């Protein structure tokens, strides 16, 4: 019994982020990119590096995942709008709402009940909600997780070529994969043309694994870049530790852009590379409930 209770408690950990996420978006002017919102929540709550560095079995950030679950329910509650362009923004109601922990739990339980009714009626399928409703806290098997599994199954050379294609789609030119061993971790380079008069040579490194990139790896990459480029990019299917993120933007050192597994899938979505958009509908029970009385 104790194990089941612990499992349920862990599954509901994201409830603590309902109110802070609304506060974070308010502090950011009412809207933000997911990374901005997640970073603001961690700053506001003074989340420790140990928590920020914790990963899921899939390799993703547990903290980011939990904040995303909070957004999932706040969207259902009508406090955050469901943007199609990767922006989290408050609705009019969201701007005015300040949630306590008890209120957050009430919202969660309300939607758990709705999802359970939907399952019973077999009028719609909510696999993501079902797993959370059961209190497992597990990550759903959706297209993002499936895409990440495919990326992890690629050969190192294949992942480098995919990164090359991604950079070209993002506006880089003359993108070359070197693939040379003993090149200080440099897997390729490209040219980013900012405007007709300004361009930058950018070096990139590809890390296809589920582990977290640590600060020493960022420093090693920067050392390999020295004298060869003004900017670097590390692309990984895993995550970056909080220390690695700070190292990448350290004052006085050449900046390094970090693309983790979540951002990588975001970019595949944006450019529709390997991900084909499909339009579908879900039943809005609240709408029909109005006409049942």
């Amino acid at each position: 019994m104790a194990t089941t209770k612990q499992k349920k408690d862990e599954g509901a950990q994201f409830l603590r982020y309902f109110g802070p996420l609304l506060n974070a978006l308010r502090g950011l002017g009412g809207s933000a990119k997911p990374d901005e919102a997640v970073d603001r929540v961690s700053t506001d709550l003074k989340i420790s590096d140990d928590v920020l560095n914790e990963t899921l079995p899939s390799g993703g950030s547990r903290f980011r995942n939990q904040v995303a679950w909070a957004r999932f329910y706040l969207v259902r509650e009508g406090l955050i709008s469901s943007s199609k362009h990767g922006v989290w923004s408050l609705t009019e109601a969201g701007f005015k709402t300040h949630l306590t922990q008890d209120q957050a739990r009430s919202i969660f339980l309300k939607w758990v009940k709705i999802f359970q009714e939907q399952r019973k009626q077999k009028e719609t399928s909510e696999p993501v909600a079902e797993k959370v409703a059961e209190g497992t806290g597990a990550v759903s098997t959706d297209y993002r997780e499936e895409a990440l599994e495919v990326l992890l199954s690629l050969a190192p050379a294949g992942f480098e070529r995919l990164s090359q294609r991604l950079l070209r789609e993002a506006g880089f030119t003359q993108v070359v994969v070197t693939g040379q061993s003993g090149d200080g971790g440099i897997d390729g380079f490209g040219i980013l043309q900012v405007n007709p008069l300004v361009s930058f040579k950018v070096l990139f490194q590809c890390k296809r694994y589920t582990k977290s990139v640590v600060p020493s790896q960022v420093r090693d990459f920067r050392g390999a870049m020295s004298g060869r480029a003004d900017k670097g990019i590390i692309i990984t299917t895993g995550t970056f530790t909080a220390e690695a993120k700070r190292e990448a933007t350290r004052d006085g050192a050449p900046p390094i852009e970090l693309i983790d597994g979540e951002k990588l899938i975001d970019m595949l979505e944006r450019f529709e590379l390997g991900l084909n958009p499909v339009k579908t509908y879900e039943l809005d029970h609240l709408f029909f409930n109005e006409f049942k009385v």
Side-chain angles (χ1 to χ4, degrees), residues 209-248:
Y209 56 28
T210 59
K211 298 181 294 183
S212 295
V213 177
V214 297
S216 61
Q217 293 171 302
V218 176
R219 285 192 292 270
D220 290 345
F221 178 58
R222 183 181 281 124
M225 286 171 47
S226 182
R228 301 172 63 182
D230 297 317
K231 199 170 185 63
I233 303 174
I234 300 179
I235 304 171
T236 180
T237 49
T239 59
F240 296 92
T241 65
E243 299 90 339
K245 291 178 181 178
R246 287 195 289 269
E247 176 61 33

Side-chain angles (χ1 to χ4, degrees), residues 134-146:
E134 291 165 4
T136 65
V139 181
S140 66
T141 304
D142 62 8
Y143 71 93
R144 292 179 68 89
E145 184 177 341
E146 199 174 345

Side-chain angles (χ1 to χ4, degrees), residues 186 188-190 201-205 221 224-225 228-229 231-233:
I186 305 298
F189 61 86
K201 182 179 180 181
V202 180
L203 301 179
F204 64 89
Q205 182 183 74
F221 178 58
M225 286 171 47
R228 301 172 63 182
K231 199 170 185 63
I233 303 174

Side-chain angles (χ1 to χ4, degrees), residues 39-273:
D39 288 345
R40 182 61 178 260
V41 171
S42 70
T43 299
D44 290 348
L45 296 182
K46 296 181 173 58
I47 302 296
S48 69
D49 285 351
D50 288 342
V51 173
L52 294 177
N53 293 340
E54 190 177 354
T55 59
L56 296 163
S58 63
S61 163
R62 184 178 296 278
F63 173 69
R64 178 185 171 121
N65 179 260
Q66 289 179 340
V67 177
W69 277 124
R71 173 190 173 269
F72 174 86
Y73 280 92
L74 293 172
V75 168
R76 291 298 190 275
E77 189 65 14
L79 300 177
I80 294 179
S81 67
S82 182
S83 169
K84 297 178 181 178
H85 305 289
V87 175
W88 295 4
S89 58
L90 294 173
T91 62
E92 185 176 352
F95 261 109
K96 302 174 183 176
T97 301
H98 298 265
L99 294 176
T100 64
Q101 187 74 6
D102 287 340
Q103 289 170 327
R105 182 169 294 278
S106 294
I107 290 173
F108 169 68
L109 294 176
K110 165 189 169 181
W111 283 98
V112 165
K113 185 176 180 181
I114 291 173
F115 294 144
Q116 288 173 339
E117 289 174 353
Q118 289 176 349
R119 279 189 294 171
K120 289 176 183 177
Q121 295 171 5
K122 296 182 179 180
E123 292 175 345
T124 188
S125 174
E126 286 278 359
V128 173
E130 287 174 15
K131 290 195 173 186
V132 180
E134 291 165 4
T136 65
V139 181
S140 66
T141 304
D142 62 8
Y143 71 93
R144 292 179 68 89
E145 184 177 341
E146 199 174 345
L148 192 57
E149 289 175 357
V150 171
L151 291 174
L152 287 167
S153 72
L154 299 177
F159 184 58
E160 290 171 0
R161 293 200 310 274
L162 174 63
S163 299
Q164 177 186 44
R165 171 68 184 278
L166 201 57
L167 292 176
R168 282 176 173 151
E169 294 285 350
F172 285 76
T173 60
Q174 302 178 43
V175 184
V176 176
V177 172
T178 58
Q180 298 174 4
S181 59
D183 196 22
I186 305 298
D187 292 316
F189 61 86
I191 304 296
L192 180 60
Q193 192 76 42
V194 179
N195 59 46
L197 300 176
V198 180
S199 64
F200 292 100
K201 182 179 180 181
V202 180
L203 301 179
F204 64 89
Q205 182 183 74
C206 305
K207 291 186 175 296
R208 182 191 52 81
Y209 56 28
T210 59
K211 298 181 294 183
S212 295
V213 177
V214 297
S216 61
Q217 293 171 302
V218 176
R219 285 192 292 270
D220 290 345
F221 178 58
R222 183 181 281 124
M225 286 171 47
S226 182
R228 301 172 63 182
D230 297 317
K231 199 170 185 63
I233 303 174
I234 300 179
I235 304 171
T236 180
T237 49
T239 59
F240 296 92
T241 65
E243 299 90 339
K245 291 178 181 178
R246 287 195 289 269
E247 176 61 33
T249 57
R250 178 166 54 85
D251 288 344
I256 296 177
E257 296 295 332
L258 306 179
I259 301 176
D260 62 12
E262 292 290 337
K263 284 186 180 178
L264 188 53
I265 302 300
D266 288 342
M267 293 180 72
L268 292 177
E269 283 182 6
R270 177 182 175 188
F271 300 119
E272 295 184 10
L273 295 176

